[in-house]
Amino acid sequence: MTTPKRPSVLATQEADFPRWYQDVLEKAELADNGPVRGTMVIRPYAYGLWERMQAEVDARIKAAGAENVYLPLFIPQSYLQREAEHVEGFSPELAVVTHAGGKELTEPVVVRPTSETLFGELMAKWVQSHRDLPMLLNQWANVVRWEMRPRVFLRTTEFLWQEGHTAHATRQDATEYTLRIHLDVYRDFLENVLAIPVLVGAKTKRERFAGAINTMTCEAMMGDGKALQMATSHELGQNFAKAFNITYTDSAGQVQHCWTTSWGSSTRMVGGLIMAHGDDAGLRVPPRVAAVQAVVIAVKDDERTLSTARDLVASLNAAGVRARIDARTEQGFGRRATEWELKGVPLRIEVGPRDLDAGQVTVVRRDTSEKSPLPLGEVVATIPSLLESMHEDMLAAARQRLADRTIEATSVDEALEGAMTGFVRIPWKALGEGGERTLNEQAVTVRCLQTPSGQVPGVEDSADDLIAIVARSY
Amino acid sequence: MTTPKRPSVLATQEADFPRWYQDVLEKAELADNGPVRGTMVIRPYAYGLWERMQAEVDARIKAAGAENVYLPLFIPQSYLQREAEHVEGFSPELAVVTHAGGKELTEPVVVRPTSETLFGELMAKWVQSHRDLPMLLNQWANVVRWEMRPRVFLRTTEFLWQEGHTAHATRQDATEYTLRIHLDVYRDFLENVLAIPVLVGAKTKRERFAGAINTMTCEAMMGDGKALQMATSHELGQNFAKAFNITYTDSAGQVQHCWTTSWGSSTRMVGGLIMAHGDDAGLRVPPRVAAVQAVVIAVKDDERTLSTARDLVASLNAAGVRARIDARTEQGFGRRATEWELKGVPLRIEVGPRDLDAGQVTVVRRDTSEKSPLPLGEVVATIPSLLESMHEDMLAAARQRLADRTIEATSVDEALEGAMTGFVRIPWKALGEGGERTLNEQAVTVRCLQTPSGQVPGVEDSADDLIAIVARSY
């Protein structure tokens, strides 16, 4: 049995992280560029990851009481103009259909950059009485924002996402629901499925969503120390309710404006998964999101090896493990092992004649590269709990890196220097809006504001007590 | 306990079937028109139906070995021009983006009417050797075809669908796979999940997909005797492979063109579900696709009624039945019963004090309106098998209607007359292309050609032996 070599097909992370990312996309057959600038083709292996992400996020959204709907791709241009900040935020990114059905349209239509305005329009119709509230809706869809500097998964002209939109009777109810989504859907999913620890906090005024009174974010650290925004949740106050006339009649018969929220996560998370866990040998997929959790590799094509491998897959499947066989014995073992390593499958179970003579198989963990013999009779009992501890280990390792690469700063200059290699914690009062602008000039941003204990700030928290998390970002 | 009245909110099917359809869409809160002509808003109840349809179709597609991918919404205009028939088929329906990112584009991009051409382009890149074949791909996405006479779910400017695209080494392999998808994915899903019997057959040359050498279809009969095409599967021969240069090197080292296929089903099936099973009281959702299979209605708000209803829901859920409670006792019982009837929930289980005194509940089947007492202790054991037999009964009833409303004809005139009320079977040799044109002038079409025993014709079947199924259609 040969020890798989590190594939020379990838640039190393240290030498060139962006190049490494492009190499992984291509060599692990994750995605291609589409023919129209900035668009992407999501290939089966990456789409399988997205499908599992979607299922996990969707289950949490449904558990939070929201229902799925589907709204049209096309929005009349006039809709976007109703909320002033919103139109300003999106105008430069819009794709506009001017011709359809062989004719020029009398009113051009916009390809949705978000369905915010359509939800506004529809909620105005659907919400009548306080009995209709809260109205909790979500949509899975594609959206289009014309990108000048596209990058597959991270910043694409078209991407897939979910956008939740809710209407509430009171500000408090809207705030509480936004926080619930942010923590119980997004943070829970990111940490407990993707094994990516996130910093939760509020965006500064400068970084807020166009039209929001408060934007909450989940910020993760990538392998190169940069930040990636994984999901955001917005309190829209009554801005959209007033622009779209979303009102309800309260129990006293008075007409009131609703308080609305919106929240989203996208295929950008696939990019985050690659960059948060990947290493020089390729992807490392956390077990809970892996389409294949364990690949059973038949090393040779003798009958005993093949039938043992097949039996193992069947027993593992029966035990709830997503296992599959690799019986491509016409190809070298080393090449196959390297391929599974590149694709980041959590466990390789190698079945070969020599091991079988000793009544065992060899189990290789992708996260640690640990390689150990396991008696054949213990495989089915061991693997499920091994996968569970791998999840915990990957999350703990990512937390450790986050801690190791975060420094404390007290001045703008220190913050700028620290942001070159990782995250910086700096009191907001030492930074302020002036300091934030200085950072921005160097392509460094305030990722979020947190309470000193790392919580999302509430209305009762004074800005003077908050900590700014500062970093370079994707 | 009052007997629910037939809701006066719907037109009757007999008086005005199209109006009845619109009424159901609105009153059962299924869908709205979008602000841009021809687009639709799919509301939570209908989207829940679509989600279950999608899951069932997707599982069958995966079982047939295909993998999901996602391709871009935007296609360069030039791509569509590569396959001559294809561009001719789609040109009048295209939506074109001419401006984006604040500027006029140098090459306008088309919003995909199908991803046929993009799959062609990508497969040319991905397929190299005979070892890459068959390549079996599928995509769930939205597509846009500018519709002059839109109708929610049936014919909309934007709709949701899956489109499968495969490449094969031989014509035989392509033919066999198309048939497998057509029968094991589409027919199986339509009959065994939606309880809608379908006629499978081949389209005539006139009705074929633009660029296909053979189009298979599943045709269902709606409540008014008209046909609805529920899914189609195309053999594309080597037309697309030649236009896009999809080639492979065979085992002898020779470069060969592939044989490709494509196949699709869409949100149109939601419209089919409504029109195939609905009655004057509203929707009738077959149990296997119902998000709520049994609603347990607490008739009064006394504690015994409410706690019995809650316990029943919990026991039914534990037994694998999708059950939910209706405890809105502040609303009249009749009104609630009518609402569930309108939404087509398969079973109503009514829990009220008088029944409970007798140790029973009242079970009402939506499909037959049959109402019967059931001892409380037997509910959990009875309901799962009752739901199963309801599926069989709904399928059998739909088959009976199909048989009752299908006549045999031997001349074009007989066929025209028969098509006014249902389906017509007529030998293709009594019709021919001339007869087909005559039918078309009266808005009657050949839905498909079948062998006399109702099978999809094979290459060995002579057209002279085939039966044409003729009907009006949506």
Side-chain angles (χ1 to χ4, degrees), chain A residues 32 35 40 42-44 47 51 62 68-70 72-73 79 92 94 96-101 125-126 142 146 158, chain B residues 32 35 40 42-44 51 62 68-70 72-73 79 92 94 96-101 125-126 142 146 158:
Chain A
D32 275 347
M40 66 176 160
I42 308 179
R43 300 183 68 178
Y47 197 80
E51 282 181 304
K62 285 182 170 131
N68 286 336
V69 295
Y70 187 79
L73 175 70
Y79 275 39
L94 297 179
V96 186
V97 174
T98 54
H99 291 70
K125 205 167 121 186
W126 292 338
N142 55 344
W146 213 258
E158 180 195 7
Chain B
D32 273 348
M40 66 177 158
I42 309 179
R43 300 184 67 178
E51 282 181 305
K62 285 182 171 134
N68 287 336
V69 294
Y70 187 79
L73 174 71
Y79 275 40
L94 298 179
V96 185
V97 173
T98 54
H99 291 70
K125 206 168 118 184
W126 292 338
N142 54 344
W146 213 258
E158 180 194 5

Side-chain angles (χ1 to χ4, degrees), chain B residues 236-304:
Chain B
L236 304 171
Q238 294 182 308
N239 292 344
F240 278 81
K242 285 179 178 159
F244 287 91
N245 213 23
I246 311 172
T247 60
Y248 70 97
T249 308
D250 68 17
S251 52
Q254 297 294 308
V255 174
Q256 307 273 4
H257 280 106
C258 291
W259 296 81
T260 69
T261 85
S262 69
W263 25 279
S265 63
S266 74
T267 35
R268 164 173 262 223
M269 293 191 296
V270 179
L273 178 76
I274 299 169
M275 294 198 300
H277 290 303
D279 65 15
D280 285 348
L283 265 179
R284 295 191 311 163
V285 182
R288 292 182 188 166
V289 78
V292 180
Q293 298 177 305
V295 59
V296 178
I297 307 188
V299 175
K300 298 272 179 225
D301 70 346
D302 64 283
E303 192 39 43
R304 183 179 59 151

Side-chain angles (χ1 to χ4, degrees), chain B residues 348-459:
Chain B
R348 291 205 310 273
I349 302 174
E350 303 170 355
V351 181
R354 231 173 304 165
D355 271 346
L356 286 185
D357 286 344
Q360 63 185 32
V361 295
T362 298
V363 175
V364 188
R365 283 176 65 151
R366 177 64 182 88
D367 61 334
T368 56
S369 302
E370 223 173 298
K371 194 166 178 162
S372 44
L374 186 65
L376 201 48
E378 290 175 23
V379 172
V380 175
T382 306
I383 298 300
S385 56
L386 179 56
L387 287 166
E388 274 312 292
S389 52
M390 282 177 70
H391 170 85
E392 298 305 333
D393 292 351
M394 288 182 79
L395 180 59
R399 270 196 215 290
Q400 191 58 51
R401 178 181 62 199
L402 177 58
D404 290 347
R405 298 182 73 164
T406 299
I407 65 150
E408 307 280 337
T410 52
S411 73
V412 176
D413 282 350
E414 275 175 28
L416 269 177
E417 201 195 321
M420 292 306 114
T421 54
F423 286 13
V424 179
R425 287 167 50 90
I426 177 171
W428 174 248
K429 65 181 174 211
L431 193 62
E433 295 190 356
E436 187 180 12
R437 270 194 302 275
T438 308
L439 295 179
N440 291 177
E441 285 158 13
Q442 307 295 317
V444 171
T445 46
V446 178
R447 304 312 305 157
C448 63
L449 300 173
Q450 294 187 316
T451 66
S453 63
Q455 304 302 306
V456 179
V459 279

Side-chain angles (χ1 to χ4, degrees), chain A residues 247-259:
Chain A
T247 60
Y248 70 98
T249 308
D250 68 18
S251 52
Q254 298 294 309
V255 175
Q256 307 274 4
H257 280 106
C258 291
W259 297 81

